[in-house]
Amino acid sequence: MAVIETTDLTKRYGDLVAVDRLNLRVEEGEIFGLLGPNGAGKTTTVLMLLGLTEPSAGTARVCGHDPTRDPLAVKRIVGYLPDSVGFYEDLTAWQNLAYTADLNDLPMAETKRRIAEVLDRVGLTDVAHKRVGTYSRGMRQRLGIADVLLKHPQVVILDEPTIGLDPEATVDLLDFIRHLARSERMTVIVSSHQLPQVQRICDRVGIFSQGKLIAQGAIDQLGRQLFGAEFMLVEAQVRPLNDQTVTLLRGIPGVERVEPNRDAVLLALSRDARADVVRQLVKSGVDILAMRVRGSALEEIYMRYFQHA
Amino acid sequence: MPGLAPVFRKEIADHFSSRRFLILLALIFIAGLAATYVAAQSIRDAVTSSGAQARFIFLLLFTASNGQLPPFVAFISFLGPLLGLALGFDAINSEHSRGTLSRVLAQPVYRDAVINGKFLAGLTTIVVMIVAIGLILSGLGLRLIGIPPTAEEILRLTSFFAVTAVYVAFWMSLAIMFSIFFRQAATSALAGMAVWIVCTFFVGMLSGIMANLLVPLGPDATLADVVRLQDTQQALARLSPVTLYGEATFTLLSPTARTLMPLQLLGLLPEARGMVLTPLPWIMSLQLVWPQIVGLVALTVVCFVISYIRFMRQEIRA
């Protein structure tokens, strides 16, 4: 069953189309990445899924509920971590969570139990009674996760969860999210503009650009979907780099495209043909000084769309 | 309504524990204590000079002054707006700027629970505070002068404090409205202060100037012209809630006030000749200023309705 399904979901602000006829399907237990540059319509999509913004056209379904008609039913089962999540600075972490629990109408005993549970999970038990004003960025983000988990959601939506975190904290948080989704069978939607992060944890991704979903699918399929046959980009530093070498490279099966640069050549491969390339070059007396995978085609296409936006 | 009670509880807790509230409470409390004490000290002179009003000694505690310190009524009409503004000026915009609004609204609550909860919590805070100050000052006055208030005086004081609560609620309502329209808390506070200062200091002057322009008095002006000028000036001044509050409280606390027209002018009118300054019963004083009270309530409601509509339509993202 699709946990989240949208049909031609559209949001217009005046002349600006923030989200353009979005058709999205997220299955249960999946980690889905919404990938796209800032302003591509990711947050607007998320707000529409939660019923915090009304769509201009189209419909959305979250676990069978319509967020526009019945926002409370959706908000009861969806945990949302906004980008730049904020807390009441004068209150302690515990008090902040207690307020969320109160808004969710949890009884007091249950509130206490759940707060202890979620604080323990995110590792903030020791500082539970410190004012949030004294928290670091990473701690706030973890508190945000605790806040989301408090209502025992079926679906978790995280909007730019790693923004402003240092690399180590980013990795920790991502691994935690991944672990969580797997251990609880929760459906997770992560919106981000950083491809490596999405690649690290997501089963499937949808790429947003200017309000449109330009591609969606599993990460390794996505490159193919967008780029035709190519799925790997390899940069090789060879000597000599002349027309003869280029012709030679073009003749190797699996090499789709050859782009000679100043001192290196960029190869787009439709299969992992690196060994063949090396063998052929050595056989023809061309020296290979270096060879490295420059990333997947996904990265390439993503960068290209990023520049457009 | 889901969410109203939690928002209300949190806001009440916030108000009563905020430094801002404690400072204002202390300020109003000290002003009240000083004014009541001074009034009690000079009450003998006040009683002799106030003639018919001498039957209402207890009320004099709140209206009498020795000329050095203003009476409590004057203090509260000045500090009340400040209290209201302080309770509301960052109600919504601070939730926006801290990023807490989207988190709260992602919980299963209706959006209007937030603004209704905040408004009700502010209102409750104001009522609790004013009732507390009223009772403390009355108690103090009772100790100082030793004359208990009559039933009539109790009614008058109760209605005075009720009108004061409405007055402060208006300023809070205005401040909440500004907190929705202005994203910066400082801007919203300044806007509130600007309205407060204009209403307190400038409306009186401006209404005089405007009235003179609208109803110019020639050298052959009749008494009717003078009355007309006076009416125009008063009508203009009544655009300000400060004027409405001033008239309402003056009438409620001065049983001899039979009209809101200035006394000098009243003396000129033939029909007013021989009018005895006997005190009015409470209900008639209330009737006299009922329009003022309704006006204050209406202004409060208008501000709230504008806030409500604007808040419901506002985009959640900054």
Side-chain angles (χ1 to χ4, degrees), chain A residues 66-85:
Chain A
D66 182 342
T68 315
R69 292 269 177 78
D70 194 1
L72 293 204
V74 172
K75 292 191 224 171
R76 241 171 248 133
I77 50 173
V78 180
Y80 170 52
L81 180 71
D83 58 343
S84 69
V85 59

Side-chain angles (χ1 to χ4, degrees), chain B residues 41 63 71 77 79 121 219 222 227 249 256:
Chain B
Q41 293 302 307
T63 52
S77 84
L79 293 176
T222 60
V227 172
T249 50
T256 46

Side-chain angles (χ1 to χ4, degrees), chain A residues 8-292:
Chain A
D8 290 331
L9 195 64
T10 303
K11 178 70 185 181
R12 278 183 287 269
Y13 292 106
D15 287 340
L16 177 81
V17 184
V19 176
D20 192 4
R21 291 185 303 264
L22 176 69
N23 290 294
L24 196 68
R25 231 183 117 86
V26 181
E27 305 293 331
E28 195 182 344
E30 226 180 1
I31 306 184
F32 189 86
L34 293 178
L35 191 60
N38 298 325
K42 292 171 301 190
T43 301
T44 308
T45 304
V46 167
L47 291 180
M48 284 193 285
L49 289 178
L50 282 161
L52 292 179
T53 290
E54 274 188 37
S56 313
T59 55
R61 283 278 178 286
V62 179
C63 296
H65 302 289
D66 182 342
T68 315
R69 292 269 177 78
D70 194 1
L72 293 204
V74 172
K75 292 191 224 171
R76 241 171 248 133
I77 50 173
V78 180
Y80 170 52
L81 180 71
D83 58 343
S84 69
V85 59
F87 293 93
Y88 300 101
E89 309 271 308
D90 290 342
L91 302 183
T92 65
W94 202 95
Q95 288 167 330
N96 268 291
L97 292 180
Y99 183 39
T100 304
D102 200 9
L103 289 169
N104 279 282
D105 208 15
L106 296 180
M108 201 54 201
E110 182 70 6
T111 299
K112 284 182 180 159
R113 203 182 58 71
R114 285 203 196 177
I115 292 178
E117 170 203 318
V118 293
L119 282 175
D120 182 49
R121 296 192 74 161
V122 298
L124 290 175
T125 308
D126 294 344
V127 287
H129 295 289
K130 284 214 168 122
R131 293 192 313 112
V132 176
T134 64
Y135 276 31
S136 71
R137 182 80 218 183
M139 288 159 86
R140 276 161 205 260
Q141 215 64 14
R142 278 188 287 156
L143 182 57
I145 302 273
D147 186 65
V148 164
L149 295 178
L150 194 66
K151 64 168 102 160
H152 288 173
Q154 297 174 26
V155 182
V156 171
I157 301 180
L158 309 170
D159 199 352
E160 301 281 4
T162 59
I163 213 158
L165 293 187
D166 61 54
E168 201 186 336
T170 302
V171 169
D172 282 353
L173 187 69
L174 290 174
D175 288 350
F176 179 71
I177 293 168
R178 172 117 201 145
H179 168 73
L180 203 69
R182 287 293 169 265
S183 60
E184 307 277 317
R185 293 276 307 150
M186 264 191 283
T187 309
V188 179
I189 294 183
V190 182
S191 124
S192 177
H193 63 272
Q194 284 164 304
L195 179 68
Q197 303 191 353
V198 170
Q199 269 178 320
R200 189 182 176 97
I201 60 168
C202 292
D203 304 317
R204 286 198 310 133
V205 270
I207 299 187
F208 271 72
S209 178
Q210 288 159 328
K212 288 196 180 69
L213 185 70
I214 53 172
Q216 66 171 318
I219 302 249
D220 49 342
Q221 292 165 12
L222 208 58
R224 229 162 293 173
Q225 192 180 333
L226 286 168
F227 234 19
E230 297 169 17
F231 94 104
M232 190 186 258
L233 288 169
V234 176
E235 198 178 47
Q237 216 177 333
V238 294
R239 196 182 294 153
L241 178 52
N242 51 27
D243 293 347
Q244 218 180 333
T245 314
V246 171
T247 318
L248 175 72
L249 285 168
R250 286 219 168 96
I252 301 170
V255 176
E256 297 294 322
R257 203 157 47 91
V258 180
E259 277 178 31
N261 295 334
R262 202 156 34 84
D263 58 342
V265 60
L266 188 69
L267 306 173
L269 310 179
S270 60
R271 61 181 182 88
D272 191 357
R274 281 175 294 178
D276 291 342
V277 171
V278 173
R279 209 172 294 122
Q280 287 291 328
L281 288 174
V282 171
K283 213 158 64 180
S284 317
V286 179
D287 294 336
I288 304 165
L289 304 177
M291 187 187 235
R292 68 182 184 93

Side-chain angles (χ1 to χ4, degrees), chain B residues 223-224 227 261-274:
Chain B
L223 186 58
V227 172
M261 204 175 261
L263 279 179
Q264 318 84 290
L265 194 61
L266 200 61
L268 296 176
L269 292 178
E271 55 267 47
R273 273 200 200 120

